[in-house]
Amino acid sequence: VHINSYFHANPNQSYTSDFLHFQGPPTKSMLSSLAAKFSNRASASDPAAVDDDEDSEVAEEPGTDDVCGWWYWGHADSADHPPSSLQLNSMKLSLQTAPLKLSRDPAFYQDFAKYVLCPHYLDRQAEGTAPGTGCPFLGGKAFLRQPDVKKRLEEVPKRLAAGEIERKNELGYLLLSPATFPLTGSIGLGNDLETHRKQRRCIEDVLSPSKLPNRQGWQEEAALFLAECQKKRKFKVRSSVTKWWFQMLFKHVLGDALSTSDAADFTKFQMAWLQGAVLSGPNAFVEKFANFGSVTEAVWPVSKIIQAQEQWRHRIKKKLPASVPEVDRDVAAQGILEMFVFAGGLSVPLTIHCALAVLYRRDLMPSPVKITEANVDVFVYEVMRLFPAVQGFCYWEKGERQVLSLNAALRDPGVWGPDAAKFTLKDLDLYKQHFVGFANGASTSDGSFDSKACPGMQMSLDVVQGFVLATCRWQPTTTRAHVYWAPKQVPKPQGVHKKWFADFELMIQDWLDGDQTGEALLEELQPVELARLLQEIGQADNQESKLAALLGPSKDRDNASRLGACNLNTKVFYELSRKRFKELSARSASLKPDVSKPGPASRYFDLHFAGGSPVIRLPVQDSMKKMVRDSIAAKIGDVLKDKIDDNLDPMMFVDNHLHRCAAIMLCQEAFAKSEGEKPPPHSNARSDSYLPKPHATFKDITTDESQVAIARCGMGQLYLKSNTYDHLKDFGEFVCDMSVLGSFKVRPAFERLGATAVFKGETNGSWKLTAIDWKHGDKVVKPGESEWEHAKWVWRCSLITHMTAVHHLVQAHWLVANALSATWRETMRPFHPVRRLLQVITYNTTSINHNSALSLFPNGGMLHRMSPYPYEELQKVFTAAAEGWKFRTWPEEYASVDLPESVKSKLPIYQDGLEVYEVMHEFVKSYIDLYYPDDDSVTSCPDLNAYWKFPCVPQYARSLPPLSKKALIDQLTRGMFDVTGYHEFVGYVVAYTTDPAGACLQVRPGRNMCDLQELLAVNSLVAGTGTPMPMFVPSGEPGDEDWLHQLDLTSDGGFPASKFETVSKHYENMMSKLKQISKTVEQRNAPGAGRDMPCVAMDPLTFERSVSL
């Protein structure tokens, strides 16, 4: 065994490498001894401790398959160690070498093992250990230090010209077979000086930077390529870029248009020539069995390689510059062909592949990623430094191979610093001064064409930089502005060194359309960062990620159902929110008039409130399926009862801006669905998500300006009033008062809710947020104070909690909608005019109210878990909501609001809502007038008298005036308004919930964003409102047909046809006026029209026909 050891020392460390060259086949014991020796040496600091024994006698019988152990190397001062066992007789090696052992050329088998299989196999054997630092050196004397490598590179042209050294038929470290280079017997790098000069002259001419695109030009070419890839929505990086690059080489270097199919053929030819140049031994075997078709298709015989060379060389020859003499054109064309196959045609796609892999791996390049024109050059240099396409430069001196390790020089800590093995962007001047990846030093400037440096260095830099810039930018389409590429899986290292990457697939992401709050923040990130976040959410093997642990892996986003870090009821509720989804067309059958006989339901779900409030009874549909489901729900409820654990794994908390962005993406990912039916045009439902579409979004919901918009155009409108608080009077004249929740106790993990925001009116009509009375902190917080952001967070959470639990769930669903739906079923004949009208606006209400009670009302239920309250306190919230409800017409509600007329008349829920209410009132009055001409006809109707008692909802009945025609019209109008426009308003919270900094139902001390479990739970509740529903102003889509026919009582009800004709006219009049109101609302929501943000909750075109969601 011959051991060459090279040392260099600096004040910080020693740097030692050993290169072993076995002069004969080694034995297993020898290899084991050497492996142990290397392991021991790895901890040695004294170079003198190395045994430089040059001749070791070995008596043991050589092994037969031990060829893989002939070459090995390692860095003694690094953390990289050789494998503890070489496992030479593995089945894998035997299978790999079996075809070659059948060859009639045993010398080739040895060469193959020596130069190709051995290092590759050793790489594989070392998997699971610390990464290595480069390809094995194959004999001779090796130089690793950057100064040594650079110095010898600079000497190469002069010494070659003087005949002191020679280059052979080599590619990097690999010796090539001369049989595949019939024209000159060698690759151009190893040709004689005269032949090399002819080829170099032509190559430098066609690669002149003045004749090629600059970085901007290559970026534009890359953008066109990526745009073409969008048509298939995905592409394999290495393979697709290789074909594209060949098209670019032929186009810009030769002025030749290479078709897509030709590029694919050239790619096959490249791989075949590469394999043949390195693995040419079994040629006779391949020739003999060439008729095996696909079995041998990937391995070309030498004759086929030579034939293809001649064809491509002939094509290139025709495109050479006219200045190339005819006598030199074959040689020159061969040089360009070899450049396409072995040089730039190989290295540029490889470098692009590695550059994109680095972009999508946070372990190599930390987040956030922002690659721009200002730093793309150093980024690409760093990629090429750690992932050099050319790893070695070899020449021969006096019969001995001299190996200049470009790879080791590019990792020399003496030049690149102690973090030389890490990916860090360094100063551009450092790269320009010390980078040797292009064999930079081996250049000449004397016009001799003896340079051995890469002639396409500038082109390579420009191309890779341009491609990276194109990838890092948005990929707009005709329908989306913020489209980007993301890997299907995080690029995985290939081989022992964990530096090279297997080919990976990029997929187009076009979901970011700005239609959810928080998405605007994502648009501020670079697309690559979004791709990283998306991968962190969806990776099955990234269990340390908080998002992966929460959502779990999924091949399709629609199957992301494993919620490992969430508690049981969050998991169940999340699954239910998705499984209850039905396309609108599936509901068509249920839209027919119900002609069942009136009477009590066979079963009820009773809501028992605390404090003596009367029981609310929810009818339950009587079917075996419902009974089984209710039984299961009851058993689950028993399991979950009193089992609320508010302790969370720290990974569930959202701690910073990047976590916030990731959580926003998680919300989109978790509720994405496979593309379904297109919902009605003005529906809030989406075909690609279980979450509804918000009417308007916040770019950043946390700003003071956003709080003003929430108060005047959002959910805060219900709580606005004049400021009558003495301790707040100096801050402004208006308050959005959520102090009522400050009196309810919370569980130990949370703060009490409750806060009052104070606003001051400006002379131009705008408002300014001036203070927040924070109940838990028992203090008034002002802008700029340390608790200001927290106070705003508490106020938003208080708003959504009160509106969801009180106005939406208890009052809109369990009181109003239940009173309407349950009572007409119990009291009215099938063809009663009022029953038919009520049936239109109570579609599916029985089912949805029962479902809401099953999941949200119980102890341990979803609302209990996602709220901060002990169950007895949540019961008090329910009671306060039920007892606080009072029947009033919408004009009466407006009159009761304590605000100046100039202020409240501009609030959208009143400005738009009063107009909607008036049109509904006109229709209902006309309808009732048609069937009931006076009070007596109303009060004498037994069905209406029974209906007016509302036995299932005593709280509703007791606040109504005595039955009269006017009272009936007002009650039906307010009912219609409540289950359409008002329900749309109080149920519209998706604009606040998809951003963890938006709003939720809990506040944890010291935190201004909800945790991931709460984010998923709240949006599971919101997703229940995302199913497409029949619209009040119908679109005519399947399942959303005109509902006028349900009011036709001509045949079954025995009424004259003239009545339905009159009803039809009133219906058309109502629809016409509602559509006009919609246009007016659109104008009021236009930018500059005076509203802080659009509010379309009272736009009639957005109304669904009931509170069924």
Side-chain angles (χ1 to χ4, degrees), residues 485-534:
W485 293 101
K488 187 175 182 179
Q489 292 183 322
V490 173
K492 295 183 178 180
Q494 189 176 47
V496 59
H497 302 313
K498 306 300 181 187
K499 299 183 316 187
W500 304 99
F501 300 94
D503 203 355
F504 60 96
E505 195 169 65
L506 287 182
M507 305 182 70
I508 201 68
Q509 303 292 326
D510 54 4
W511 58 270
L512 186 58
D513 52 9
D515 67 351
Q516 296 286 11
T517 290
E519 288 187 13
L521 297 178
L522 302 182
E523 293 168 7
E524 295 176 356
L525 296 177
Q526 199 169 65
V528 169
E529 192 62 44
L530 284 180
R532 287 181 168 205
L533 294 177
L534 189 66

Side-chain angles (χ1 to χ4, degrees), residues 233-340:
R233 300 189 62 83
K234 60 184 179 180
F235 71 97
K236 279 287 190 76
V237 174
R238 178 74 183 276
S239 55
S240 298
V241 169
T242 296
K243 295 169 189 173
W244 166 80
W245 179 232
F246 286 142
Q247 289 181 298
M248 293 297 99
L249 284 174
F250 274 81
K251 174 182 177 180
H252 292 289
V253 174
L254 298 174
D256 188 5
L258 193 67
S259 68
T260 303
S261 60
D262 285 349
D265 289 342
F266 194 85
T267 303
K268 293 178 183 177
F269 163 64
Q270 180 200 43
M271 294 308 300
W273 194 359
L274 284 168
Q275 292 171 350
V278 176
L279 312 177
S280 58
N283 182 50
F285 178 86
V286 177
E287 293 275 12
K288 185 175 180 179
F289 294 97
N291 294 326
F292 275 26
S294 60
V295 176
T296 58
E297 188 176 301
V299 181
W300 291 14
V302 173
S303 60
K304 184 176 179 180
I305 295 172
I306 294 173
Q307 182 182 12
Q309 277 188 55
E310 293 173 350
Q311 293 172 349
W312 286 109
R313 185 171 64 245
H314 179 70
R315 178 168 179 170
I316 292 171
K317 179 180 176 180
K318 292 192 298 183
K319 296 294 182 178
L320 290 178
S323 58
V324 180
E326 183 62 33
V327 68
D328 296 336
R329 292 180 78 85
D330 274 321
V331 170
Q334 179 73 13
I336 291 180
L337 179 60
E338 291 173 4
M339 177 185 72
F340 286 1

Side-chain angles (χ1 to χ4, degrees), residues 325-402:
E326 183 62 33
V327 68
D328 296 336
R329 292 180 78 85
D330 274 321
V331 170
Q334 179 73 13
I336 291 180
L337 179 60
E338 291 173 4
M339 177 185 72
F340 286 1
V341 172
F342 294 98
L346 187 65
S347 62
V348 169
L350 175 62
T351 304
I352 291 174
H353 178 231
C354 289
L356 298 193
V358 170
L359 285 176
Y360 296 118
R361 288 191 65 95
R362 185 172 289 137
D363 58 336
L364 293 176
M365 188 174 183
S367 290
V369 174
K370 193 168 183 63
I371 302 299
T372 66
E373 285 84 353
N375 68 350
V376 68
D377 45 5
V378 295
F379 171 79
V380 170
Y381 264 123
E382 184 69 358
V383 169
M384 293 189 297
R385 187 183 72 82
L386 287 183
F387 307 96
V390 181
Q391 299 215 352
F393 186 103
C394 299
Y395 59 86
W396 297 74
E397 183 177 4
K398 297 178 181 179
E400 184 181 35
R401 197 181 197 210
Q402 309 293 302

Side-chain angles (χ1 to χ4, degrees), residues 600-719:
S602 59
R603 292 191 301 135
Y604 290 90
F605 189 102
D606 290 339
L607 304 178
H608 294 273
F609 295 138
S613 183
V615 172
I616 293 178
R617 311 200 75 192
L618 303 176
V620 177
Q621 293 178 352
D622 194 11
S623 68
M624 181 60 68
K625 180 179 178 181
K626 298 285 186 183
M627 293 175 67
V628 171
R629 184 198 65 178
D630 292 354
S631 176
I632 295 173
K635 292 185 180 300
I636 293 176
D638 290 340
V639 172
L640 297 178
K641 187 176 181 180
D642 296 322
K643 289 183 174 61
I644 299 292
D645 184 3
D646 297 317
N647 295 317
L648 285 181
D649 190 306
M651 75 174 192
M652 298 295 286
F653 293 114
V654 180
D655 296 318
N656 54 47
H657 180 73
L658 198 59
H659 285 177
R660 179 185 178 187
C661 290
I664 292 168
M665 292 185 70
L666 165 68
C667 199
Q668 302 302 313
E669 174 80 3
F671 294 96
K673 63 182 285 287
S674 297
E675 196 77 23
E677 292 180 4
K678 185 178 180 181
H682 299 285
S683 171
N684 294 329
R686 298 167 59 182
S687 62
D688 60 349
S689 177
Y690 294 102
L691 292 173
K693 179 172 55 182
H695 303 146
T697 61
F698 298 89
K699 180 176 182 180
D700 185 353
I701 198 171
T702 66
T703 65
D704 291 4
E705 293 75 15
S706 293
Q707 315 314 295
V708 174
I710 291 170
R712 296 210 298 181
C713 295
M715 57 183 172
Q717 295 176 78
L718 283 178
Y719 309 100

Side-chain angles (χ1 to χ4, degrees), residues 126-167:
E127 285 180 358
T129 67
T133 50
C135 292
F137 294 106
L138 306 179
K141 186 179 294 183
F143 300 88
L144 285 89
R145 292 186 61 215
Q146 192 275 349
D148 290 340
V149 170
K150 185 177 181 181
K151 176 184 177 182
R152 282 164 175 77
L153 281 173
E154 292 170 348
E155 295 172 348
V156 163
K158 184 181 296 185
R159 296 188 71 194
L160 276 171
E164 298 175 7
I165 60 176
E166 63 176 329
R167 299 200 73 192

Side-chain angles (χ1 to χ4, degrees), residues 527-651:
V528 169
E529 192 62 44
L530 284 180
R532 287 181 168 205
L533 294 177
L534 189 66
Q535 277 302 310
E536 189 172 359
I537 290 168
Q539 280 304 296
D541 58 356
N542 188 10
Q543 291 304 314
E544 294 181 0
S545 161
K546 65 169 68 177
L547 300 174
L550 176 68
L551 186 59
S554 63
K555 293 183 179 178
D556 183 280
R557 291 189 298 174
D558 196 32
N559 296 324
S561 59
R562 186 170 64 83
L563 310 171
C566 290
N567 58 26
L568 178 60
N569 40 13
T570 300
K571 298 174 188 177
V572 171
F573 197 59
Y574 169 71
E575 292 294 343
L576 288 176
S577 71
R578 295 147 52 88
K579 287 182 169 56
R580 287 175 179 168
F581 183 93
K582 290 183 180 179
E583 297 291 0
L584 184 56
S585 61
R587 296 188 169 86
S588 298
S590 64
L591 298 175
K592 298 178 181 178
D594 185 338
V595 294
S596 61
K597 295 181 179 180
S602 59
R603 292 191 301 135
Y604 290 90
F605 189 102
D606 290 339
L607 304 178
H608 294 273
F609 295 138
S613 183
V615 172
I616 293 178
R617 311 200 75 192
L618 303 176
V620 177
Q621 293 178 352
D622 194 11
S623 68
M624 181 60 68
K625 180 179 178 181
K626 298 285 186 183
M627 293 175 67
V628 171
R629 184 198 65 178
D630 292 354
S631 176
I632 295 173
K635 292 185 180 300
I636 293 176
D638 290 340
V639 172
L640 297 178
K641 187 176 181 180
D642 296 322
K643 289 183 174 61
I644 299 292
D645 184 3
D646 297 317
N647 295 317
L648 285 181
D649 190 306
M651 75 174 192

